[in-house]
Amino acid sequence: MQKHLYFSLLIIFSGLLGVNAVGQVSQLACHEPALTRFTFTEPHMGTTFRIVLFAKNELTAKKAAAAAFTRIAELNRIMSDYQDDSELMKLCKESKGRRTEVSVDLFKVLEQAEEVSRLSDGAFDVSIGPVVRLWRKARRTHEMPDAAAIKKALELVDYRKIRLDSKGRTVQLLLIGMMLDLGGIAKGYAADAALEVLRHDGITRALVAAGGDIAVGEPPPDAPGWKIGIAPLEDSKDPSEFISLKNAAVSTSGDLHQYVEITGKRYSHIIDPKTGSGLTGRRSVTIIAANCTTTDAWATAICVVGAERGLKMIEAQKGMAGLLIFETAKGIQTTMSKNYVNYRWKQ
Ligand code: AMP
Ligand code: MG
C-alpha cells in the first residue's frame, strides 16, 4: 500500500518572517527511509528559536534538537549583551584597551561583523552598543534620548577601532568604554551553528529559525525547498510573498516589531551609526545568502543604507539576493535584486 504523510505548517514568528514548510513523504517514491517531521521551540537570545527537522524516529529527533539548543545557549553565554558575565561583556568591561584572547566563536562573529561593516561603509557597526542602550531606555520611558548623551555615546562608535588579530585570536578595543552589541548578527550565527550541530548528528533536512533569521539545510522530502513566507509591512496581514530555500539562509530586518513611538513618530531598534538616531520610515529588508550570519548582518545593514544604495550593495555581493520594501512619500515601494526571482516559490 502506498503510504503518504502530508505536512503543512504556517508559523508567524516573533521576528519578521513566516515559515511555511510543506513536505510530503512517500515511502514508495522516496529512496531514503520514511522520515517524520518534528518541530521544537525554545526561547533564547530574546526570541523563540524554532527547529523543524526530518528524522527516522522521535528519539533521534529529540537528541539532535537538544544538542542544537545546547549550542545556541552556549553562544548566548558568549555573545549576550544582557548578561554581565557573558564573554562579550567581560571583554568590554575588563580588557581596558588591552589585547585579549577570545573564544573561536566570538572571534569568528566579530570577523564577519567587521567584513559587513567595511562593505556597508559603516552602516553595520557592532560598536553601536552605547547608543543602543540610550534607545532601549527610550523604549521604556517613551522619551527621546538626550541629544548630548547621543553625541557622547557616538564618540565610542567606530568599528575600525575594534582590532582583530587572527594569529593570537585576540581582540583589542581601542576606545576605552567601547560597548559591543551583537544583536544584529548573533542570532544568524547561532542559527548557522545549530544547523551544523544537526548535520553532525546526521539530520540534513532541517530548518532553524531565530525570529526573522532562518538557516535551512536540505529541503523536506519530496519538496524542492523550504517554503518561507516574507512578512508584509503590516503586522496584521499574512505573507503574500514566498520563497523556496535549501542549503541557504534568509533574514528579514525592519521596524515591524521592535520600535518606539515618540510624539507620533516611529523609531526602529536599528540605529544609524552616523546620526545615532533610531531609523524612521517603515521598512523591511529581506536578504538571502549562503549562511545566516551573513544574511542577519546584511539585512540590518541595508535597513540603514536605504533602498537605492542598498540594492547596489546587494548586487555587488556574490550569491546574495534581496527584497526591499520601503515606505516613501509616494507610498510603499518594493524593489528586488536581479537574482531574487530565482528564489520565488513556484506553485
Ligand atoms: P536585527 O533585528 O538583526 O536587524 O538587529 C537589530 C539589533 O542590532 C538591534 O536591536 C541592536 O541590538 C543592533 N543594532 C542596531 N543598529 C545596528 C547597526 N547599525 N549595526 C549593527 N547592529 C545594530
Ligand atoms: Mg540582523
Side-chain angles (χ1 to χ4, degrees):
M1 192 187 76
Q2 193 173 15
K3 190 174 164 196
H4 287 287
L5 297 172
Y6 294 95
F7 303 102
S8 168
L9 83 149
L10 180 76
I11 314 156
I12 303 299
F13 288 106
S14 58
L16 299 166
L17 285 176
V19 168
N20 185 353
V22 183
Q24 193 186 91
V25 179
S26 158
Q27 286 185 334
L28 289 183
C30 234
H31 295 297
E32 55 192 333
L35 296 173
T36 306
R37 201 199 81 222
F38 296 90
T39 302
F40 304 90
T41 57
E42 272 190 19
H44 291 278
M45 297 186 167
T47 191
T48 301
F49 272 73
R50 186 179 296 268
I51 295 177
V52 185
L53 60 82
F54 286 82
K56 277 178 283 187
N57 57 54
E58 193 175 349
L59 186 65
T60 314
K62 276 188 170 166
K63 271 173 82 174
F69 284 131
T70 300
R71 175 82 172 114
I72 293 164
E74 176 193 28
L75 290 172
N76 188 51
R77 280 195 298 276
I78 293 173
M79 298 179 187
S80 173
D81 65 308
Y82 283 92
Q83 290 178 13
D84 275 350
D85 60 347
S86 72
E87 187 185 0
L88 181 75
M89 282 302 99
K90 281 192 182 157
L91 171 75
C92 294
K93 287 181 182 155
E94 294 168 16
S95 67
K96 305 220 165 32
R98 290 186 298 261
R99 279 172 181 227
T100 308
E101 190 179 330
V102 298
S103 64
V104 172
D105 288 311
L106 187 53
F107 194 81
K108 272 197 199 164
V109 81
L110 288 174
E111 254 185 342
Q112 291 178 63
E114 196 270 338
E115 189 186 347
V116 179
S117 297
R118 203 167 17 86
L119 294 169
S120 68
D121 192 20
F124 186 79
D125 192 330
V126 294
S127 69
I128 196 75
V131 186
V132 168
R133 280 162 190 238
L134 294 173
W135 281 98
R136 269 191 205 147
K137 189 170 160 229
R139 271 175 79 174
R140 288 194 302 272
T141 60
H142 287 266
E143 278 174 25
M144 280 299 273
D146 177 57
I150 292 274
K151 196 163 169 252
K152 193 152 190 304
L154 275 176
E155 287 171 9
L156 295 171
V157 179
D158 186 350
Y159 72 94
R160 290 162 299 194
K161 301 287 193 245
I162 306 171
R163 187 158 293 167
L164 304 176
D165 183 353
S166 56
K167 271 195 223 109
R169 216 200 304 130
T170 59
V171 180
Q172 191 175 10
L173 303 178
L174 297 176
L175 303 175
I176 305 298
M178 278 180 116
M179 196 54 74
L180 308 189
D181 177 340
L182 298 174
I185 189 168
K187 289 198 286 293
Y189 188 91
D192 283 338
L195 197 64
E196 195 49 47
V197 168
L198 297 176
R199 265 197 208 112
H200 187 259
D201 279 9
I203 309 279
T204 56
R205 300 186 182 281
L207 171 153
V208 180
D213 300 297
I214 301 177
V216 303
E218 293 291 328
D222 293 0
W226 294 90
K227 186 177 183 185
I228 298 175
I230 313 291
L233 271 185
E234 293 96 315
D235 201 7
S236 53
K237 289 195 180 155
D238 284 339
S240 57
E241 175 73 22
F242 292 91
I243 58 170
S244 171
L245 216 57
K246 60 178 177 183
N247 297 315
V250 60
S251 291
T252 297
S253 275
D255 60 344
L256 183 57
H257 293 286
Q258 298 205 51
Y259 62 90
V260 57
E261 225 171 78
I262 303 171
T263 54
K265 205 164 176 179
R266 186 174 171 129
Y267 297 88
S268 165
H269 67 311
I270 301 172
I271 312 292
D272 183 342
K274 296 215 159 52
T275 63
S277 173
L279 301 178
T280 54
R282 305 293 320 278
R283 64 195 72 201
S284 159
V285 171
T286 298
I287 299 290
I288 301 167
N291 68 70
C292 206
T293 315
T294 304
T295 57
D296 190 359
W298 271 109
T300 309
I302 302 296
C303 277
V304 175
V305 164
E308 205 177 316
R309 271 182 74 215
L311 198 62
K312 285 187 191 134
M313 282 183 185
I314 294 167
E315 304 275 16
Q317 302 306 308
K318 207 165 157 259
M320 208 158 90
L323 174 73
L324 316 180
I325 308 171
F326 278 73
E327 194 176 52
T328 69
K330 292 182 206 146
I332 291 176
Q333 296 210 326
T334 303
T335 41
M336 53 192 78
S337 66
K338 286 190 203 95
N339 55 352
Y340 176 79
V341 54
N342 300 333
Y343 296 97
R344 271 199 153 148
W345 182 264
K346 295 170 191 79
Q347 292 303 332

PDB file of all heavy atoms in Angstrom, residues 37-57:
ATOM      1  N   ARG A  37       8.388  14.519  10.280  1.00  0.00           N
ATOM      2  CA  ARG A  37       8.750  15.888  10.620  1.00  0.00           C
ATOM      3  C   ARG A  37       8.535  16.159  12.101  1.00  0.00           C
ATOM      4  O   ARG A  37       7.510  15.761  12.670  1.00  0.00           O
ATOM      5  CB  ARG A  37       7.894  16.874   9.827  1.00  0.00           C
ATOM      6  CG  ARG A  37       8.540  18.252   9.740  1.00  0.00           C
ATOM      7  CD  ARG A  37       7.540  19.321   9.382  1.00  0.00           C
ATOM      8  NE  ARG A  37       6.820  19.726  10.569  1.00  0.00           N
ATOM      9  CZ  ARG A  37       5.523  19.955  10.629  1.00  0.00           C
ATOM     10  NH1 ARG A  37       4.787  19.804   9.558  1.00  0.00           N
ATOM     11  NH2 ARG A  37       4.948  20.316  11.752  1.00  0.00           N
ATOM     12  N   PHE A  38       9.512  16.797  12.723  1.00  0.00           N
ATOM     13  CA  PHE A  38       9.412  17.170  14.138  1.00  0.00           C
ATOM     14  C   PHE A  38       9.687  18.664  14.271  1.00  0.00           C
ATOM     15  O   PHE A  38      10.518  19.207  13.548  1.00  0.00           O
ATOM     16  CB  PHE A  38      10.449  16.398  14.967  1.00  0.00           C
ATOM     17  CG  PHE A  38      10.233  14.906  14.962  1.00  0.00           C
ATOM     18  CD1 PHE A  38      10.845  14.118  13.989  1.00  0.00           C
ATOM     19  CD2 PHE A  38       9.428  14.292  15.916  1.00  0.00           C
ATOM     20  CE1 PHE A  38      10.648  12.747  13.968  1.00  0.00           C
ATOM     21  CE2 PHE A  38       9.231  12.920  15.897  1.00  0.00           C
ATOM     22  CZ  PHE A  38       9.841  12.140  14.919  1.00  0.00           C
ATOM     23  N   THR A  39       8.991  19.286  15.208  1.00  0.00           N
ATOM     24  CA  THR A  39       9.224  20.710  15.475  1.00  0.00           C
ATOM     25  C   THR A  39       9.526  20.913  16.955  1.00  0.00           C
ATOM     26  O   THR A  39       8.880  20.308  17.809  1.00  0.00           O
ATOM     27  CB  THR A  39       7.969  21.537  15.109  1.00  0.00           C
ATOM     28  OG1 THR A  39       7.667  21.311  13.732  1.00  0.00           O
ATOM     29  CG2 THR A  39       8.200  23.025  15.309  1.00  0.00           C
ATOM     30  N   PHE A  40      10.530  21.710  17.227  1.00  0.00           N
ATOM     31  CA  PHE A  40      10.916  22.011  18.610  1.00  0.00           C
ATOM     32  C   PHE A  40      11.080  23.520  18.758  1.00  0.00           C
ATOM     33  O   PHE A  40      11.603  24.163  17.842  1.00  0.00           O
ATOM     34  CB  PHE A  40      12.259  21.340  18.953  1.00  0.00           C
ATOM     35  CG  PHE A  40      12.264  19.857  18.737  1.00  0.00           C
ATOM     36  CD1 PHE A  40      12.633  19.316  17.499  1.00  0.00           C
ATOM     37  CD2 PHE A  40      11.914  18.984  19.760  1.00  0.00           C
ATOM     38  CE1 PHE A  40      12.643  17.950  17.288  1.00  0.00           C
ATOM     39  CE2 PHE A  40      11.924  17.610  19.557  1.00  0.00           C
ATOM     40  CZ  PHE A  40      12.286  17.086  18.316  1.00  0.00           C
ATOM     41  N   THR A  41      10.666  24.059  19.873  1.00  0.00           N
ATOM     42  CA  THR A  41      10.902  25.500  20.103  1.00  0.00           C
ATOM     43  C   THR A  41      11.480  25.723  21.503  1.00  0.00           C
ATOM     44  O   THR A  41      11.146  24.996  22.440  1.00  0.00           O
ATOM     45  CB  THR A  41       9.610  26.344  19.984  1.00  0.00           C
ATOM     46  OG1 THR A  41       8.647  25.825  20.905  1.00  0.00           O
ATOM     47  CG2 THR A  41       9.045  26.344  18.602  1.00  0.00           C
ATOM     48  N   GLU A  42      12.336  26.709  21.593  1.00  0.00           N
ATOM     49  CA  GLU A  42      12.882  27.128  22.892  1.00  0.00           C
ATOM     50  C   GLU A  42      13.183  28.618  22.824  1.00  0.00           C
ATOM     51  O   GLU A  42      13.597  29.114  21.787  1.00  0.00           O
ATOM     52  CB  GLU A  42      14.200  26.380  23.209  1.00  0.00           C
ATOM     53  CG  GLU A  42      13.999  25.061  23.904  1.00  0.00           C
ATOM     54  CD  GLU A  42      15.297  24.436  24.426  1.00  0.00           C
ATOM     55  OE1 GLU A  42      16.315  25.158  24.577  1.00  0.00           O
ATOM     56  OE2 GLU A  42      15.282  23.224  24.672  1.00  0.00           O
ATOM     57  N   PRO A  43      13.010  29.315  23.953  1.00  0.00           N
ATOM     58  CA  PRO A  43      13.390  30.737  23.962  1.00  0.00           C
ATOM     59  C   PRO A  43      14.894  30.907  24.191  1.00  0.00           C
ATOM     60  O   PRO A  43      15.456  30.280  25.101  1.00  0.00           O
ATOM     61  CB  PRO A  43      12.602  31.301  25.161  1.00  0.00           C
ATOM     62  CG  PRO A  43      12.358  30.135  26.056  1.00  0.00           C
ATOM     63  CD  PRO A  43      12.408  28.881  25.225  1.00  0.00           C
ATOM     64  N   HIS A  44      15.521  31.667  23.353  1.00  0.00           N
ATOM     65  CA  HIS A  44      16.940  32.011  23.508  1.00  0.00           C
ATOM     66  C   HIS A  44      17.154  33.384  22.887  1.00  0.00           C
ATOM     67  O   HIS A  44      16.480  33.745  21.925  1.00  0.00           O
ATOM     68  CB  HIS A  44      17.847  31.021  22.746  1.00  0.00           C
ATOM     69  CG  HIS A  44      17.866  29.646  23.328  1.00  0.00           C
ATOM     70  ND1 HIS A  44      18.648  29.298  24.397  1.00  0.00           N
ATOM     71  CD2 HIS A  44      17.188  28.522  22.976  1.00  0.00           C
ATOM     72  CE1 HIS A  44      18.459  28.020  24.683  1.00  0.00           C
ATOM     73  NE2 HIS A  44      17.566  27.518  23.842  1.00  0.00           N
ATOM     74  N   MET A  45      18.156  34.093  23.357  1.00  0.00           N
ATOM     75  CA  MET A  45      18.576  35.370  22.770  1.00  0.00           C
ATOM     76  C   MET A  45      17.398  36.325  22.577  1.00  0.00           C
ATOM     77  O   MET A  45      17.312  37.033  21.570  1.00  0.00           O
ATOM     78  CB  MET A  45      19.266  35.134  21.421  1.00  0.00           C
ATOM     79  CG  MET A  45      20.552  34.331  21.536  1.00  0.00           C
ATOM     80  SD  MET A  45      21.406  34.221  19.947  1.00  0.00           S
ATOM     81  CE  MET A  45      23.005  33.606  20.479  1.00  0.00           C
ATOM     82  N   GLY A  46      16.465  36.313  23.502  1.00  0.00           N
ATOM     83  CA  GLY A  46      15.341  37.238  23.441  1.00  0.00           C
ATOM     84  C   GLY A  46      14.349  36.952  22.333  1.00  0.00           C
ATOM     85  O   GLY A  46      13.535  37.801  21.983  1.00  0.00           O
ATOM     86  N   THR A  47      14.407  35.741  21.778  1.00  0.00           N
ATOM     87  CA  THR A  47      13.441  35.381  20.735  1.00  0.00           C
ATOM     88  C   THR A  47      13.118  33.895  20.863  1.00  0.00           C
ATOM     89  O   THR A  47      13.645  33.204  21.739  1.00  0.00           O
ATOM     90  CB  THR A  47      14.003  35.723  19.333  1.00  0.00           C
ATOM     91  OG1 THR A  47      12.955  35.590  18.379  1.00  0.00           O
ATOM     92  CG2 THR A  47      15.151  34.822  18.927  1.00  0.00           C
ATOM     93  N   THR A  48      12.245  33.416  20.001  1.00  0.00           N
ATOM     94  CA  THR A  48      11.950  31.980  20.003  1.00  0.00           C
ATOM     95  C   THR A  48      12.744  31.311  18.894  1.00  0.00           C
ATOM     96  O   THR A  48      12.649  31.712  17.741  1.00  0.00           O
ATOM     97  CB  THR A  48      10.438  31.751  19.767  1.00  0.00           C
ATOM     98  OG1 THR A  48       9.722  32.413  20.787  1.00  0.00           O
ATOM     99  CG2 THR A  48      10.102  30.271  19.784  1.00  0.00           C
ATOM    100  N   PHE A  49      13.538  30.342  19.271  1.00  0.00           N
ATOM    101  CA  PHE A  49      14.227  29.535  18.257  1.00  0.00           C
ATOM    102  C   PHE A  49      13.331  28.348  17.917  1.00  0.00           C
ATOM    103  O   PHE A  49      12.823  27.674  18.800  1.00  0.00           O
ATOM    104  CB  PHE A  49      15.578  29.015  18.785  1.00  0.00           C
ATOM    105  CG  PHE A  49      16.720  29.963  18.556  1.00  0.00           C
ATOM    106  CD1 PHE A  49      16.823  31.129  19.301  1.00  0.00           C
ATOM    107  CD2 PHE A  49      17.694  29.698  17.598  1.00  0.00           C
ATOM    108  CE1 PHE A  49      17.872  32.017  19.093  1.00  0.00           C
ATOM    109  CE2 PHE A  49      18.743  30.573  17.386  1.00  0.00           C
ATOM    110  CZ  PHE A  49      18.839  31.740  18.134  1.00  0.00           C
ATOM    111  N   ARG A  50      13.163  28.131  16.630  1.00  0.00           N
ATOM    112  CA  ARG A  50      12.333  27.012  16.188  1.00  0.00           C
ATOM    113  C   ARG A  50      13.170  26.100  15.306  1.00  0.00           C
ATOM    114  O   ARG A  50      13.844  26.571  14.381  1.00  0.00           O
ATOM    115  CB  ARG A  50      11.137  27.536  15.404  1.00  0.00           C
ATOM    116  CG  ARG A  50      10.121  26.476  15.019  1.00  0.00           C
ATOM    117  CD  ARG A  50       8.964  27.112  14.276  1.00  0.00           C
ATOM    118  NE  ARG A  50       8.224  28.047  15.109  1.00  0.00           N
ATOM    119  CZ  ARG A  50       7.156  27.714  15.842  1.00  0.00           C
ATOM    120  NH1 ARG A  50       6.703  26.491  15.826  1.00  0.00           N
ATOM    121  NH2 ARG A  50       6.547  28.624  16.569  1.00  0.00           N
ATOM    122  N   ILE A  51      13.131  24.825  15.625  1.00  0.00           N
ATOM    123  CA  ILE A  51      13.847  23.852  14.794  1.00  0.00           C
ATOM    124  C   ILE A  51      12.813  22.926  14.169  1.00  0.00           C
ATOM    125  O   ILE A  51      11.978  22.348  14.875  1.00  0.00           O
ATOM    126  CB  ILE A  51      14.850  23.033  15.644  1.00  0.00           C
ATOM    127  CG1 ILE A  51      15.949  23.950  16.199  1.00  0.00           C
ATOM    128  CG2 ILE A  51      15.457  21.893  14.823  1.00  0.00           C
ATOM    129  CD1 ILE A  51      16.951  23.249  17.109  1.00  0.00           C
ATOM    130  N   VAL A  52      12.835  22.844  12.870  1.00  0.00           N
ATOM    131  CA  VAL A  52      11.975  21.890  12.167  1.00  0.00           C
ATOM    132  C   VAL A  52      12.919  20.903  11.486  1.00  0.00           C
ATOM    133  O   VAL A  52      13.834  21.325  10.768  1.00  0.00           O
ATOM    134  CB  VAL A  52      11.097  22.583  11.099  1.00  0.00           C
ATOM    135  CG1 VAL A  52      10.128  21.587  10.464  1.00  0.00           C
ATOM    136  CG2 VAL A  52      10.326  23.749  11.707  1.00  0.00           C
ATOM    137  N   LEU A  53      12.743  19.644  11.747  1.00  0.00           N
ATOM    138  CA  LEU A  53      13.665  18.667  11.148  1.00  0.00           C
ATOM    139  C   LEU A  53      12.945  17.381  10.771  1.00  0.00           C
ATOM    140  O   LEU A  53      11.874  17.075  11.298  1.00  0.00           O
ATOM    141  CB  LEU A  53      14.827  18.379  12.114  1.00  0.00           C
ATOM    142  CG  LEU A  53      14.517  17.801  13.493  1.00  0.00           C
ATOM    143  CD1 LEU A  53      14.323  16.279  13.440  1.00  0.00           C
ATOM    144  CD2 LEU A  53      15.677  18.129  14.450  1.00  0.00           C
ATOM    145  N   PHE A  54      13.545  16.658   9.862  1.00  0.00           N
ATOM    146  CA  PHE A  54      13.011  15.347   9.463  1.00  0.00           C
ATOM    147  C   PHE A  54      13.965  14.271   9.970  1.00  0.00           C
ATOM    148  O   PHE A  54      15.178  14.356   9.730  1.00  0.00           O
ATOM    149  CB  PHE A  54      12.886  15.267   7.938  1.00  0.00           C
ATOM    150  CG  PHE A  54      11.735  16.087   7.410  1.00  0.00           C
ATOM    151  CD1 PHE A  54      11.879  17.454   7.216  1.00  0.00           C
ATOM    152  CD2 PHE A  54      10.512  15.493   7.144  1.00  0.00           C
ATOM    153  CE1 PHE A  54      10.817  18.216   6.754  1.00  0.00           C
ATOM    154  CE2 PHE A  54       9.441  16.248   6.687  1.00  0.00           C
ATOM    155  CZ  PHE A  54       9.598  17.617   6.494  1.00  0.00           C
ATOM    156  N   ALA A  55      13.399  13.298  10.680  1.00  0.00           N
ATOM    157  CA  ALA A  55      14.241  12.235  11.251  1.00  0.00           C
ATOM    158  C   ALA A  55      13.511  10.900  11.177  1.00  0.00           C
ATOM    159  O   ALA A  55      12.299  10.854  10.957  1.00  0.00           O
ATOM    160  CB  ALA A  55      14.582  12.568  12.695  1.00  0.00           C
ATOM    161  N   LYS A  56      14.289   9.849  11.383  1.00  0.00           N
ATOM    162  CA  LYS A  56      13.723   8.496  11.302  1.00  0.00           C
ATOM    163  C   LYS A  56      12.777   8.217  12.463  1.00  0.00           C
ATOM    164  O   LYS A  56      11.785   7.535  12.332  1.00  0.00           O
ATOM    165  CB  LYS A  56      14.863   7.464  11.329  1.00  0.00           C
ATOM    166  CG  LYS A  56      15.491   7.249   9.953  1.00  0.00           C
ATOM    167  CD  LYS A  56      16.625   6.272  10.039  1.00  0.00           C
ATOM    168  CE  LYS A  56      17.844   6.960  10.612  1.00  0.00           C
ATOM    169  NZ  LYS A  56      19.059   6.190  10.597  1.00  0.00           N
ATOM    170  N   ASN A  57      13.130   8.725  13.629  1.00  0.00           N
ATOM    171  CA  ASN A  57      12.266   8.492  14.780  1.00  0.00           C
ATOM    172  C   ASN A  57      12.393   9.623  15.802  1.00  0.00           C
ATOM    173  O   ASN A  57      13.278  10.478  15.690  1.00  0.00           O
ATOM    174  CB  ASN A  57      12.578   7.135  15.433  1.00  0.00           C
ATOM    175  CG  ASN A  57      14.041   7.061  15.837  1.00  0.00           C
ATOM    176  OD1 ASN A  57      14.532   7.929  16.559  1.00  0.00           O
ATOM    177  ND2 ASN A  57      14.750   6.047  15.354  1.00  0.00           N
TER     178      ASN A  57
END
